[in-house]
Amino acid sequence: AIMSQGRVYSVVFGAVSVSAAQDFFEISPADDKPVQLVGISFDQTGNSDVGDAAEEMLRWSVIRGHSTGGSGGSAPTPRPMAPNDVAAGFAAEVNNTTVASAGTAVVLHEGAFNVRAGAIFWWPEGCEPAAAQGNGTIVVRGVAPADAITLSGTLYVRELG
């Protein structure tokens, strides 16, 4: 897809204590409005893991195709990046400690970030993980850290249609 197509929204969680594996982000596309993940950032916003001995690489995955959504987190409102854009059609959830399940899940991206340094990642044009309503959800899932960390994150989502 061309970068100028569609509308881009941010989905944010801030200063959340993360101690368990979870879906950091869960996006459920609306009918006839496919979504693409454009970029993502993770940052530790606490002091618990800033020393060399405490730092770790936290693995995360982008998974498409679960038919049962997760639970245990919250449902923030996706915010349009352009101030005059309409509300998003997709539903968003963050920090679900009961992860999405069932369906035909496929892993589209695997990565890791240093919890001490944080991360920001932009998918190259044409490589954005995408989903439509018929695919179920698209989630960004993280493994459990060695010990609790205070994490903030932002997912940038393009909605087409």
Side-chain angles (χ1 to χ4, degrees):
I2 297 170
M3 292 294 281
S4 61
Q5 291 180 335
R7 292 171 301 281
V8 177
Y9 300 86
S10 64
V11 178
V12 176
F13 66 88
V16 172
S17 179
V18 174
S19 59
Q22 61 186 260
D23 287 340
F24 293 126
F25 301 96
E26 176 182 303
I27 304 298
S28 299
D31 189 30
D32 297 327
K33 292 186 177 182
V35 296
Q36 298 173 322
L37 307 187
V38 177
I40 192 166
S41 69
F42 293 109
D43 297 287
Q44 183 184 203
T45 50
N47 296 326
S48 59
D49 282 6
V50 294
D52 289 347
E55 74 181 274
E56 62 181 299
M57 298 298 289
L58 194 61
R59 186 172 144 234
W60 60 282
S61 308
V62 175
I63 304 166
R64 176 180 61 213
H66 287 301
S67 57
T68 301
S71 63
S74 61
T77 300
R79 300 295 180 191
M81 297 306 290
N84 296 326
D85 275 349
V86 299
F90 64 87
E93 296 181 11
V94 295
N95 305 112
N96 281 338
T97 52
T98 300
V99 298
S101 60
T104 306
V106 293
V107 176
L108 302 176
H109 181 94
E110 282 280 346
F113 69 96
N114 181 308
V115 298
R116 184 177 179 189
I120 188 163
F121 182 82
W122 298 100
W123 280 278
E125 186 174 345
C127 297
E128 304 96 337
Q133 187 182 40
N135 301 125
T137 65
I138 188 164
V139 301
V140 178
R141 181 168 296 159
V143 299
D147 57 354
I149 59 174
T150 303
L151 196 65
S152 294
T154 302
L155 181 67
Y156 298 93
V157 181
R158 179 181 296 121
E159 186 173 60
L160 305 169

